[in-house]
Amino acid sequence: MRVYGIYEAKTKLPDLIKQVQQGERVTITNRGAPVADLVPSASGVAQQASNAIAAIKNLRSGSITQEEFTAFRNRGRR
């Protein structure tokens, strides 16, 4: 988890959003006291989980190619 002051968070908001999209949590402080947390959207996390479950089911059914498997594995190693 990363911590930023309000002014720094305001000036670096696009970078903070990118961090959150990558799964990190960001805390914003006001004079050292935490006031807000930026966290990945619950709907985004649910969609990722749903996609992972579908990929596992495809893998078990044998309908996935080696290239697709490699792509899934590499995507999970961010």
Side-chain angles (χ1 to χ4, degrees):
M1 177 171 47
R2 297 178 188 228
V3 179
Y4 294 91
I6 289 176
Y7 178 78
E8 187 177 13
K10 181 181 81 166
T11 59
K12 294 184 176 182
L13 185 60
D15 294 330
L16 299 182
I17 297 298
K18 287 178 186 175
Q19 290 176 22
V20 171
Q21 285 177 326
Q22 295 174 355
E24 293 188 42
R25 295 175 60 99
V26 175
T27 297
I28 299 173
T29 62
N30 185 13
R31 298 182 182 185
V35 294
D37 289 316
L38 296 177
V39 297
S41 170
S43 62
V45 172
Q47 183 61 43
Q48 287 177 341
S50 179
N51 290 345
I53 290 169
I56 291 169
K57 286 180 179 178
N58 284 338
L59 180 62
R60 287 186 176 171
S61 69
S63 64
I64 188 171
T65 65
Q66 182 64 36
E67 292 81 21
E68 291 173 321
F69 173 77
T70 303
F72 288 137
R73 184 185 66 207
N74 291 340
R75 199 172 351 147
R77 292 184 177 176
R78 291 186 222 159

